[in-house]
Amino acid sequence: EVCSDIDLGSCIEQPANPDINITLIINSSHTGAIQTTKEWTEKHKQLIEKEGKDVFMTTYFTQARNPMYSYQIRSNSFMFMKGWFLSAASLGKHIVVFHNHLDEFFQYRVKEFYPNTEFIFVSNLHGRTTNDIRFYLEYDYLLQHPEVHSVILTDLRDVKFFADPFEQMEVLGDNVYVGIDVSFYLSSHDHSWLRGVLRNCHRSDAESNAVKLHPFSNAGVAGGTRRAMLAFLTQMTRYLDKAPHNRNCNMGTVNVVTHKHFFDQLYTGYPFQSSFKLGIKGANPQGLSVKHKDTAELW
Protein backbone atom coordinates (compact mmCIF):
# COMPACT_ATOMS: atom_id res chain seq x y z
CA GLU A 1 0.00 0.00 0.00
CA VAL A 2 2.84 2.37 0.83
CA CYS A 3 4.52 1.59 -2.46
CA SER A 4 1.32 2.13 -4.42
CA ASP A 5 0.83 5.52 -2.81
CA ILE A 6 4.41 6.52 -3.49
CA ASP A 7 3.97 5.44 -7.12
CA LEU A 8 0.72 7.42 -7.26
CA GLY A 9 2.48 10.48 -5.91
CA SER A 10 5.21 10.21 -8.53
CA CYS A 11 2.59 9.93 -11.31
CA ILE A 12 0.62 13.02 -10.30
CA GLU A 13 1.22 15.87 -12.70
CA GLN A 14 3.75 18.18 -11.04
CA PRO A 15 2.08 21.52 -10.17
CA ALA A 16 3.87 24.86 -10.16
CA ASN A 17 3.81 24.84 -6.37
CA PRO A 18 5.55 21.68 -5.09
CA ASP A 19 3.74 21.98 -1.72
CA ILE A 20 0.45 21.09 -3.47
CA ASN A 21 1.91 17.76 -4.57
CA ILE A 22 3.00 17.00 -1.02
CA THR A 23 -0.52 17.87 0.21
CA LEU A 24 -2.10 15.48 -2.29
CA ILE A 25 0.01 12.62 -0.99
CA ILE A 26 -0.35 13.49 2.69
CA ASN A 27 -4.14 13.64 2.32
CA SER A 28 -4.35 10.10 0.96
CA SER A 29 -5.91 7.30 2.97
CA HIS A 30 -2.46 6.01 3.93
CA THR A 31 -1.12 9.14 5.58
CA GLY A 32 0.31 7.25 8.55
CA ALA A 33 2.18 4.73 6.42
CA ILE A 34 3.64 7.45 4.22
CA GLN A 35 4.74 9.50 7.25
CA THR A 36 6.40 6.43 8.75
CA THR A 37 8.21 5.80 5.48
CA LYS A 38 9.42 9.41 5.35
CA GLU A 39 10.67 9.23 8.93
CA TRP A 40 12.47 5.96 8.19
CA THR A 41 14.08 7.54 5.12
CA GLU A 42 15.32 10.51 7.13
CA LYS A 43 16.78 8.25 9.81
CA HIS A 44 18.48 6.16 7.15
CA LYS A 45 19.99 9.30 5.61
CA GLN A 46 21.32 10.32 9.01
CA LEU A 47 22.96 6.95 9.41
CA ILE A 48 24.70 6.97 6.05
CA GLU A 49 25.66 10.64 6.30
CA LYS A 50 28.35 9.95 8.85
CA GLU A 51 29.44 12.51 11.37
CA GLY A 52 32.83 12.72 12.97
CA LYS A 53 36.27 12.28 11.49
CA ASP A 54 38.31 9.51 9.90
CA VAL A 55 41.74 9.00 11.43
CA PHE A 56 45.00 7.40 10.36
CA MET A 57 47.06 6.23 13.36
CA THR A 58 50.65 5.03 13.57
CA THR A 59 53.62 5.02 15.94
CA TYR A 60 57.13 6.45 15.63
CA PHE A 61 59.07 5.07 18.58
CA THR A 62 62.79 5.59 19.00
CA GLN A 63 65.09 5.18 21.99
CA ALA A 64 63.51 1.75 22.36
CA ARG A 65 64.43 -1.34 20.40
CA ASN A 66 61.93 -2.30 17.77
CA PRO A 67 61.69 -6.11 17.88
CA MET A 68 61.28 -6.34 14.08
CA TYR A 69 64.47 -4.44 13.24
CA SER A 70 68.10 -5.23 14.01
CA TYR A 71 68.92 -1.53 14.43
CA GLN A 72 67.64 1.39 16.45
CA ILE A 73 65.36 3.72 14.53
CA ARG A 74 66.57 7.30 14.05
CA SER A 75 64.66 10.13 15.66
CA ASN A 76 63.31 13.06 13.67
CA SER A 77 63.75 11.43 10.25
CA PHE A 78 61.08 12.50 7.79
CA MET A 79 62.42 9.97 5.28
CA PHE A 80 61.45 7.19 7.71
CA MET A 81 57.80 8.27 7.60
CA LYS A 82 57.70 9.96 4.19
CA GLY A 83 55.78 7.34 2.17
CA TRP A 84 53.18 6.75 4.87
CA PHE A 85 52.74 10.39 5.81
CA LEU A 86 52.50 11.92 2.34
CA SER A 87 50.06 9.27 1.10
CA ALA A 88 47.87 9.66 4.20
CA ALA A 89 47.98 13.47 4.04
CA SER A 90 46.98 13.39 0.36
CA LEU A 91 43.64 11.88 1.41
CA GLY A 92 42.84 14.84 3.68
CA LYS A 93 42.21 12.83 6.86
CA HIS A 94 43.26 13.44 10.44
CA ILE A 95 46.67 11.92 11.29
CA VAL A 96 47.74 10.74 14.74
CA VAL A 97 51.36 9.77 15.46
CA PHE A 98 52.29 8.32 18.86
CA HIS A 99 55.96 8.92 19.64
CA ASN A 100 58.47 8.95 22.47
CA HIS A 101 61.40 11.01 21.19
CA LEU A 102 60.50 13.46 18.41
CA ASP A 103 61.64 17.00 19.10
CA GLU A 104 59.29 19.99 18.96
CA PHE A 105 60.91 21.53 15.89
CA PHE A 106 60.41 18.32 13.89
CA GLN A 107 56.77 18.20 14.94
CA TYR A 108 56.33 21.88 14.06
CA ARG A 109 57.74 21.40 10.55
CA VAL A 110 55.53 18.39 9.88
CA LYS A 111 52.39 20.18 11.12
CA GLU A 112 53.35 23.26 9.14
CA PHE A 113 53.24 21.10 6.01
CA TYR A 114 50.00 19.30 7.03
CA PRO A 115 48.19 21.01 9.93
CA ASN A 116 45.75 18.13 10.41
CA THR A 117 48.50 16.17 12.19
CA GLU A 118 48.48 15.30 15.87
CA PHE A 119 51.61 14.12 17.69
CA ILE A 120 51.03 12.38 21.03
CA PHE A 121 53.97 11.90 23.37
CA VAL A 122 54.21 8.53 25.14
CA SER A 123 56.37 8.72 28.24
CA ASN A 124 56.29 5.07 29.27
CA LEU A 125 56.00 1.85 27.29
CA HIS A 126 55.43 -0.09 30.52
CA GLY A 127 57.96 -2.75 29.65
CA ARG A 128 56.15 -3.77 26.47
CA THR A 129 57.51 -3.92 22.96
CA THR A 130 56.84 -1.00 20.66
CA ASN A 131 54.63 -3.21 18.50
CA ASP A 132 52.47 -4.39 21.40
CA ILE A 133 51.99 -1.11 23.27
CA ARG A 134 50.41 0.61 20.24
CA PHE A 135 47.16 -1.31 20.62
CA TYR A 136 46.68 0.07 24.14
CA LEU A 137 47.42 3.61 22.94
CA GLU A 138 45.01 3.35 20.03
CA TYR A 139 42.32 1.89 22.28
CA ASP A 140 42.70 4.74 24.80
CA TYR A 141 42.58 7.33 22.01
CA LEU A 142 39.28 5.97 20.69
CA LEU A 143 37.77 5.97 24.18
CA GLN A 144 38.80 9.59 24.67
CA HIS A 145 37.66 10.80 21.24
CA PRO A 146 34.01 9.92 20.55
CA GLU A 147 34.09 12.15 17.47
CA VAL A 148 36.14 9.54 15.58
CA HIS A 149 34.01 7.72 13.04
CA SER A 150 36.51 5.29 11.47
CA VAL A 151 40.19 4.56 11.98
CA ILE A 152 43.08 2.91 10.16
CA LEU A 153 45.92 1.57 12.35
CA THR A 154 49.17 0.70 10.57
CA ASP A 155 52.92 0.32 10.70
CA LEU A 156 54.83 3.40 9.60
CA ARG A 157 57.91 2.83 7.45
CA ASP A 158 56.63 0.18 5.03
CA VAL A 159 52.97 1.20 4.49
CA LYS A 160 51.55 3.47 1.77
CA PHE A 161 48.02 4.43 0.74
CA PHE A 162 46.96 4.45 -2.92
CA ALA A 163 43.21 4.93 -2.56
CA ASP A 164 40.95 6.03 0.29
CA PRO A 165 40.48 2.99 2.58
CA PHE A 166 37.68 4.77 4.45
CA GLU A 167 35.61 5.01 1.28
CA GLN A 168 36.24 1.34 0.58
CA MET A 169 35.16 0.32 4.06
CA GLU A 170 31.95 2.32 3.64
CA VAL A 171 31.17 0.28 0.54
CA LEU A 172 32.38 -3.12 1.79
CA GLY A 173 30.57 -2.92 5.12
CA ASP A 174 31.04 -2.60 8.86
CA ASN A 175 33.73 -5.27 9.28
CA VAL A 176 37.03 -5.67 11.08
CA TYR A 177 39.63 -5.04 8.38
CA VAL A 178 42.99 -6.70 9.01
CA GLY A 179 46.06 -7.17 6.86
CA ILE A 180 46.87 -10.51 5.29
CA ASP A 181 50.38 -11.87 5.46
CA VAL A 182 52.05 -14.12 2.88
CA SER A 183 48.90 -15.42 1.25
CA PHE A 184 50.10 -18.87 0.18
CA TYR A 185 50.11 -20.03 3.81
CA LEU A 186 46.64 -21.52 4.06
CA SER A 187 46.99 -22.12 7.80
CA SER A 188 48.66 -19.96 10.41
CA HIS A 189 50.46 -23.11 11.57
CA ASP A 190 52.12 -23.53 8.18
CA HIS A 191 54.37 -20.58 9.03
CA SER A 192 57.03 -21.75 11.48
CA TRP A 193 57.73 -18.27 12.86
CA LEU A 194 54.07 -17.56 13.63
CA ARG A 195 53.62 -21.05 15.07
CA GLY A 196 56.43 -20.27 17.52
CA VAL A 197 54.92 -16.90 18.44
CA LEU A 198 51.53 -18.49 19.09
CA ARG A 199 53.04 -21.13 21.37
CA ASN A 200 55.17 -18.60 23.25
CA CYS A 201 52.41 -16.03 23.71
CA HIS A 202 49.10 -17.91 23.68
CA ARG A 203 49.87 -21.55 24.31
CA SER A 204 46.32 -22.48 25.31
CA ASP A 205 44.95 -21.06 22.03
CA ALA A 206 47.79 -22.06 19.71
CA GLU A 207 46.35 -25.51 18.97
CA SER A 208 42.77 -24.33 18.62
CA ASN A 209 41.22 -25.19 15.26
CA ALA A 210 39.82 -21.67 15.14
CA VAL A 211 43.42 -20.46 14.93
CA LYS A 212 45.11 -23.33 13.11
CA LEU A 213 42.68 -23.58 10.23
CA HIS A 214 42.77 -19.93 9.19
CA PRO A 215 45.34 -18.00 7.10
CA PHE A 216 48.04 -15.75 8.51
CA SER A 217 46.68 -12.31 9.51
CA ASN A 218 49.18 -9.46 9.78
CA ALA A 219 49.00 -6.97 12.65
CA GLY A 220 50.64 -4.21 10.61
CA VAL A 221 47.33 -3.03 9.12
CA ALA A 222 43.90 -2.88 10.76
CA GLY A 223 40.86 -0.69 10.32
CA GLY A 224 37.14 -0.23 10.72
CA THR A 225 34.45 1.93 12.23
CA ARG A 226 34.67 3.13 15.81
CA ARG A 227 32.32 0.31 16.84
CA ALA A 228 34.35 -2.38 15.08
CA MET A 229 37.73 -1.08 16.28
CA LEU A 230 36.64 -0.72 19.90
CA ALA A 231 35.48 -4.34 19.83
CA PHE A 232 38.71 -5.44 18.11
CA LEU A 233 41.03 -3.46 20.40
CA THR A 234 39.17 -4.62 23.51
CA GLN A 235 40.00 -8.21 22.56
CA MET A 236 43.56 -7.33 21.50
CA THR A 237 44.38 -5.69 24.83
CA ARG A 238 42.63 -8.46 26.76
CA TYR A 239 44.79 -11.13 25.14
CA LEU A 240 47.96 -9.03 25.32
CA ASP A 241 47.32 -8.65 29.06
CA LYS A 242 47.53 -12.44 29.37
CA ALA A 243 50.63 -12.76 27.16
CA PRO A 244 54.23 -12.38 28.42
CA HIS A 245 54.95 -8.66 28.50
CA ASN A 246 58.60 -9.01 27.48
CA ARG A 247 57.81 -10.85 24.25
CA ASN A 248 56.62 -9.42 20.94
CA CYS A 249 53.15 -10.98 20.92
CA ASN A 250 51.03 -8.72 18.71
CA MET A 251 51.25 -10.93 15.62
CA GLY A 252 50.15 -14.04 17.47
CA THR A 253 47.49 -12.05 19.29
CA VAL A 254 45.92 -10.64 16.13
CA ASN A 255 45.58 -14.17 14.74
CA VAL A 256 43.93 -15.47 17.90
CA VAL A 257 41.59 -12.48 18.12
CA THR A 258 40.53 -12.29 14.47
CA HIS A 259 39.99 -16.03 14.03
CA LYS A 260 38.33 -16.75 17.38
CA HIS A 261 36.19 -13.65 17.77
CA PHE A 262 35.73 -11.95 14.39
CA PHE A 263 35.85 -14.78 11.86
CA ASP A 264 32.39 -13.87 10.57
CA GLN A 265 33.10 -10.11 10.53
CA LEU A 266 36.62 -10.22 9.10
CA TYR A 267 37.69 -8.66 5.80
CA THR A 268 41.24 -9.14 4.62
CA GLY A 269 43.09 -8.80 1.34
CA TYR A 270 42.33 -6.94 -1.88
CA PRO A 271 41.08 -4.28 -2.45
CA PHE A 272 41.61 -3.15 1.15
CA GLN A 273 45.22 -4.33 1.37
CA SER A 274 47.83 -6.11 -0.71
CA SER A 275 49.34 -9.33 0.59
CA PHE A 276 52.31 -8.61 2.81
CA LYS A 277 55.61 -8.47 0.89
CA LEU A 278 54.11 -9.98 -2.27
CA GLY A 279 53.46 -6.80 -4.24
CA ILE A 280 55.64 -6.05 -7.24
CA LYS A 281 57.81 -3.05 -6.51
CA GLY A 282 56.37 0.03 -8.15
CA ALA A 283 53.20 -1.75 -9.27
CA ASN A 284 49.90 -0.94 -7.58
CA PRO A 285 46.81 -2.94 -8.56
CA GLN A 286 43.87 -0.80 -9.62
CA GLY A 287 41.69 0.11 -6.66
CA LEU A 288 44.19 -1.00 -4.01
CA SER A 289 44.00 1.08 -0.82
CA VAL A 290 46.83 -0.06 1.43
CA LYS A 291 50.18 -1.50 0.38
CA HIS A 292 52.27 -3.18 3.05
CA LYS A 293 55.86 -3.75 1.94
CA ASP A 294 56.93 -4.60 -1.60
CA THR A 295 58.65 -7.89 -2.38
CA ALA A 296 61.94 -6.15 -3.01
CA GLU A 297 61.91 -4.16 0.23
CA LEU A 298 64.15 -5.30 3.05
CA TRP A 299 63.35 -5.27 6.74
Side-chain angles (χ1 to χ4, degrees), residues 124-166:
N124 192 340
L125 302 185
H126 301 285
R128 294 185 180 272
T129 67
T130 55
N131 287 345
D132 286 0
I133 194 65
R134 59 181 169 173
F135 293 99
Y136 292 89
L137 300 172
E138 291 156 350
Y139 181 54
D140 286 345
Y141 185 92
L142 278 183
L143 290 177
Q144 295 166 17
H145 292 81
E147 75 278 9
V148 174
H149 177 270
S150 296
V151 63
I152 299 289
L153 323 170
T154 75
D155 292 346
L156 178 59
R157 187 186 70 86
D158 55 5
V159 172
K160 294 179 183 178
F161 306 101
F162 293 93
D164 189 334
F166 298 102

Side-chain angles (χ1 to χ4, degrees), residues 105-280:
F105 182 68
F106 177 83
Q107 295 176 50
Y108 169 78
R109 291 299 302 273
V110 171
K111 288 193 282 189
E112 185 180 40
F113 174 79
Y114 186 66
N116 203 13
T117 305
E118 182 179 1
F119 286 97
I120 299 178
F121 177 69
V122 180
S123 61
N124 192 340
L125 302 185
H126 301 285
R128 294 185 180 272
T129 67
T130 55
N131 287 345
D132 286 0
I133 194 65
R134 59 181 169 173
F135 293 99
Y136 292 89
L137 300 172
E138 291 156 350
Y139 181 54
D140 286 345
Y141 185 92
L142 278 183
L143 290 177
Q144 295 166 17
H145 292 81
E147 75 278 9
V148 174
H149 177 270
S150 296
V151 63
I152 299 289
L153 323 170
T154 75
D155 292 346
L156 178 59
R157 187 186 70 86
D158 55 5
V159 172
K160 294 179 183 178
F161 306 101
F162 293 93
D164 189 334
F166 298 102
E167 289 185 359
Q168 286 194 343
M169 292 190 300
E170 283 287 317
V171 173
L172 295 171
D174 191 7
N175 304 301
V176 173
Y177 293 81
V178 174
I180 188 170
D181 209 277
V182 185
S183 55
F184 51 73
Y185 289 109
L186 299 180
S187 165
S188 57
H189 272 228
D190 291 340
H191 195 292
S192 59
W193 177 83
L194 179 60
R195 188 167 62 245
V197 172
L198 284 166
R199 289 172 178 169
N200 287 331
C201 296
H202 302 289
R203 182 169 293 275
S204 61
D205 294 295
E207 302 303 322
S208 165
N209 284 336
V211 176
K212 286 199 301 184
L213 301 180
H214 285 85
F216 187 171
S217 295
N218 189 295
V221 178
T225 61
R226 174 185 177 81
R227 179 208 66 81
M229 284 294 96
L230 280 175
F232 170 72
L233 292 170
T234 296
Q235 294 294 350
M236 284 294 294
T237 53
R238 185 170 76 90
Y239 276 89
L240 285 170
D241 280 344
K242 298 189 292 184
H245 292 190
N246 61 337
R247 292 184 180 272
N248 192 40
C249 289
N250 67 102
M251 199 72 80
T253 304
V254 79
N255 278 273
V256 171
V257 167
T258 54
H259 300 324
K260 287 192 68 175
H261 298 281
F262 299 101
F263 63 92
D264 58 345
Q265 304 171 54
L266 183 64
Y267 190 101
T268 186
Y270 181 85
F272 176 70
Q273 187 229 327
S274 61
S275 295
F276 175 74
K277 222 175 179 183
L278 285 187
I280 300 172

